[in-house]
Amino acid sequence: MITRLIRFTACTACIAGTAFALGLHAQTYPIRAIRLIVPFPPGGSSDSVARVVVQRFSEGLGQPVVIENRPGVGGLLGSEAVAKAAPDGYTLLLGSVSSLAVAPHIFSNPRIDPRRNFAAIAPIMSSPLTVIARPTLPVNSIADLVALARSKPGALNYGAAGLGTHVYLVAELFKKQAGFDAVHVPFQGGAPTMAALLAGNIDYKFDVVNTTLPQARAGKVKVLAVTSARRIALMPGVPTLAESGFPDIDATAWVGVVGPARLPATLVSRLNAEIGKAVSSRSLSEVYAAQGVVPEVASPAAFAEMIRREYATWGAVVRQVGAKLD
C-alpha cells in the first residue's frame, strides 16, 4: 500500500510539473521568429492571403512570422514538412482546401492524413471561385462555353494551379457534369496560371475572387460565373453556376492555420486568439471586403470539424470524378 501511494504521489507530481511547464511555456511563447509555411509558390492566392494577415499576427505575438514558400504536389510537400516538425509552435502551415481536403485524396501516396497529422488552430478566410476565360475566346456565358467545348471535343484547354489542387478538381467536376472534354494544363501555382490566361495560352480557368477582380476590372478576362450559392456584391452582374445550369457545384476555397499534431492546447489557444484578432481587425476586414473575401473566425474545435467535413466532401468528389493520380 505504501509503495502504491508513493508511486501515485510521484505520478501526481509529474503531472503537476508537466502542467506547470506547459503553462510557463504558454506565458513565454514565442521567444523567437515563427515559420509559416505556404505550400504554394509566391504570388498565388494563398501567398497573398498569408502576407495580408501576417503583419497583424506578428504584432500580436510580438515576434516576426516569416513566410516560407514550399510548393509541390498540390500543397502536400509543404504540408508534410509541418506534419514532421516539432510541436513547439514555431513551425505552422497555411493550410487550405487544396492541401488539407483535396490533394490527400488525389495522390496515391500523400504521406499525410489531415485528420491525424495536424492540430487545427484557426481559419482565416473563405472565397467563392470564378470561372474566367480569355477575352478572345468566343464565349460570354457558361452556356456558350459548354456549347463551344461540346462542338470541338478536346480542342479547348483549361489551366489549374497544379495537379491535386481544389481548382483542378472543381474544373474536372464541371467537365464531367457538363459532358465535354477539355485538356488540363497544369501550372506551379495560381500566378503562372493567370499569366498563361492573360497571354492567351489557355482558354479558361477556375480562380478565387481576389485574384480575378483586378483582371476583370481591367477588362483582361471574361468572368462567366461564380461558384457560390448567391451572386457576390463586387460582381453583381455575374451569374452563379447554379443559375447557369449547374446547381450541384457549390465550391468555396478556404485558408487557415494548422500546426503539427500534439501541439499543446495552451499554444493552440494563444495562436487562435491572435489570428482571430488579426482577422477581425477593421483594417484587415476592409482589405478582405474589397477583395470579395470573407473573414472567418472559429474555435480550434470548430475548425478541426470543418477540415474533417471538407476532407470527406472532396474525397467523395474525387471518387465521383475519378481524379486519382500516382
Side-chain angles (χ1 to χ4, degrees), residues 89 105 147 261 323:
H105 291 289

Side-chain angles (χ1 to χ4, degrees), residues 6 24 44 80 89 99 130 178 202 205 211 232:
I6 291 172
L24 185 61
E80 183 184 7
S99 57
T130 57
I202 56 175
K205 72 187 289 273
T211 54
I232 62 174

Side-chain angles (χ1 to χ4, degrees), residues 192-219:
T193 312
M194 180 63 83
L197 185 72
L198 298 179
N201 296 327
I202 56 175
D203 296 311
Y204 71 97
K205 72 187 289 273
F206 283 73
D207 199 5
V208 289
V209 171
N210 63 318
T211 54
T212 294
L213 276 171
Q215 310 303 336
R217 288 167 174 164

